[in-house]
Amino acid sequence: MNRWEDIIEVQLPLPFALKIINAFLIKGKNGYTIIDTGLHIQEDVDKWEEVQSQLGFKWDEVEKIVLTHYHPDHYGLAGTLQAWTGAPVYLSETDYKHAQLFLSDNGDMPEAMASFFSRHGLEVEFVEKIPAHLRSYHRFAEPHPSPSFIKAGDTIYLGDYEYQILHTPGHADGHLSFYDPARKWLIGGDFLLPRISPNISLWPRCDPNPLETYLSTLRQMKEIPVQTVFPSHGKVFHHYEKRIDTLLVHHKHRLEEMKKVLLRTKATTAYEICKQVFGEKLSIHNLRFALSEVLAHLEYLRVQGEIQSITKDGKVLYRIDC
């Protein structure tokens, strides 16, 4: 476990390409605060029990559990840890609603996603796999917590320091980050990662222009003086402004790449563009993220008036007028 003053990094294994999520444990005079939780899998349960044993605290010494956003690697063990500790679970109301939308057995989002991808050209053999694939993630987030809601503009004590709650959407609509102005520390979740670009995806029933939202978030957050970032994936880092600039350039280049593909083709689907940008040998897991990210960039360009879309035979086609 790595430590920075009162913050302890807890590395939790993931059965995905990312391999690790960094949760954080913060010690204060009133007990411990957990930031993000990992998945409800035995490996992550075992890791939390190992951490608890090594540090020698009791579960009832956890005073609160705070979630940056609803994605299962952050949200998944919240209900279990709440049962162990009796502590309140805090997150944004938007992201709790999205957790119910995406991770609850009662909803029809898997079918809605399959239909959405079908309209954007995904082949039938993959469309048919989407509902079962998405429902396979529900087990990672059960049981769901009974949450309390926090929002941007308020403050929250994490340990003995008062943090500003910041809304940092784009990767998730209700994503929150936590800023300590005394030390200029940012607990950023997936808002800003040191080596990879956070996935920015267009989903049905969510933000209709998530890339515009994320780029705006980056520009606004650049104005905040941050010296140290505690990210959910990758090492703690200090090149805050430079990393924001790098991501702004990355998305500029990706948008130009989309336009170049469209200049080489007639009107075509997002899926065909996805294959040219990301290749064709993708797992169903990686394919849905790749296609959703392509759609986020295409919709950004369409809203900006740089490309157009038409619907033909039930399929959405994108084109660029020379």
Side-chain angles (χ1 to χ4, degrees):
M1 291 179 287
N2 296 316
R3 297 171 183 250
W4 296 265
E5 297 181 19
D6 57 330
I7 296 182
I8 301 164
E9 180 185 76
V10 179
Q11 294 188 335
L12 300 163
L14 299 174
F16 317 131
L18 288 171
K19 301 298 184 184
I20 294 291
I21 175 176
N22 303 324
F24 296 98
L25 192 63
I26 304 178
K27 191 177 189 305
K29 62 180 180 294
N30 295 321
Y32 288 88
T33 294
I34 293 172
I35 310 292
D36 291 334
T37 67
L39 297 170
H40 193 173
I41 56 175
Q42 191 60 49
E43 293 87 345
D44 289 2
V45 168
D46 292 344
K47 184 64 178 182
W48 277 116
E49 291 179 333
E50 176 189 325
V51 167
Q52 183 254 1
S53 176
Q54 287 182 356
L55 295 177
F57 66 89
K58 298 178 180 178
W59 285 119
D60 62 8
E61 293 180 65
V62 174
E63 61 169 322
K64 60 172 72 81
I65 299 163
V66 180
L67 308 179
T68 58
H69 61 295
Y70 77 94
H71 293 163
D73 53 331
H74 300 255
Y75 173 95
L77 263 176
T80 298
L81 288 174
Q82 186 174 43
W84 288 357
T85 64
V89 172
Y90 295 98
L91 77 165
S92 69
E93 185 172 8
T94 293
D95 267 26
Y96 181 67
K97 290 178 178 177
H98 280 191
Q100 303 312 300
L101 186 66
F102 282 92
L103 299 171
S104 171
D105 288 334
N106 299 324
D108 66 343
M109 181 55 86
E111 287 73 27
M113 289 283 287
S115 177
F116 177 69
F117 286 145
S118 178
R119 290 196 306 275
H120 286 285
L122 187 62
E123 295 167 350
V124 172
E125 63 176 297
F126 296 118
V127 170
E128 292 176 344
K129 295 178 181 178
I130 291 293
H133 171 68
L134 292 175
R135 285 199 167 87
S136 72
Y137 285 81
H138 293 182
R139 70 185 189 276
F140 294 144
E142 296 171 345
H144 289 260
S146 298
S148 301
F149 298 130
I150 53 178
K151 64 182 187 300
D154 292 344
T155 59
I156 187 171
Y157 272 91
L158 306 178
D160 297 332
Y161 286 84
E162 187 176 33
Y163 284 71
Q164 297 172 3
I165 303 173
L166 307 176
H167 185 208
T168 49
H171 178 69
D173 290 5
H175 192 294
L176 299 176
S177 297
F178 304 93
Y179 175 64
D180 170 13
R183 295 179 290 187
K184 297 182 174 60
W185 285 9
L186 182 75
I187 300 174
D190 283 354
F191 152 64
L192 195 68
L193 305 176
R195 294 181 61 84
I196 62 174
S197 171
N199 178 258
I200 309 300
S201 285
L202 181 70
W203 311 116
R205 305 177 189 172
C206 298
D207 186 340
N209 195 354
L211 182 57
E212 169 61 32
T213 298
Y214 184 61
L215 296 178
S216 178
T217 297
L218 288 173
R219 295 185 185 106
Q220 292 174 24
M221 288 293 291
K222 189 177 177 181
E223 301 303 314
I224 297 175
V226 173
Q227 291 184 354
T228 304
V229 181
F230 296 83
S232 292
H233 306 284
K235 295 181 180 180
V236 170
F237 66 98
H238 308 284
H239 54 289
Y240 176 73
E241 289 189 19
K242 182 179 179 181
R243 185 61 186 149
I244 288 176
D245 287 340
T246 298
L247 286 171
L248 289 169
V249 170
H250 163 78
H251 286 290
K252 180 181 178 181
H253 290 166
R254 181 55 56 81
L255 290 165
E256 291 298 323
E257 185 178 13
M258 300 289 170
K259 290 193 289 184
K260 288 178 181 178
V261 171
L262 286 172
L263 284 170
R264 295 196 302 265
T265 64
K266 297 181 179 179
T268 192
T269 65
Y271 177 56
E272 291 300 320
I273 297 169
C274 180
K275 288 192 291 184
Q276 294 191 52
V277 174
F278 289 104
E280 299 189 38
K281 295 182 179 180
L282 297 176
S283 67
I284 190 69
H285 174 82
N286 291 333
L287 175 57
R288 73 179 170 90
F289 281 108
L291 179 53
S292 296
E293 179 142 337
V294 166
L295 279 163
H297 286 76
L298 291 172
E299 279 299 295
Y300 175 90
L301 290 170
R302 186 191 65 80
V303 172
Q304 294 290 316
E306 296 188 53
I307 66 173
Q308 299 77 40
S309 69
I310 58 173
T311 301
K312 183 178 180 181
D313 298 328
K315 305 295 184 185
V316 178
L317 307 177
Y318 291 90
R319 69 185 187 192
I320 186 168
D321 291 338
C322 299

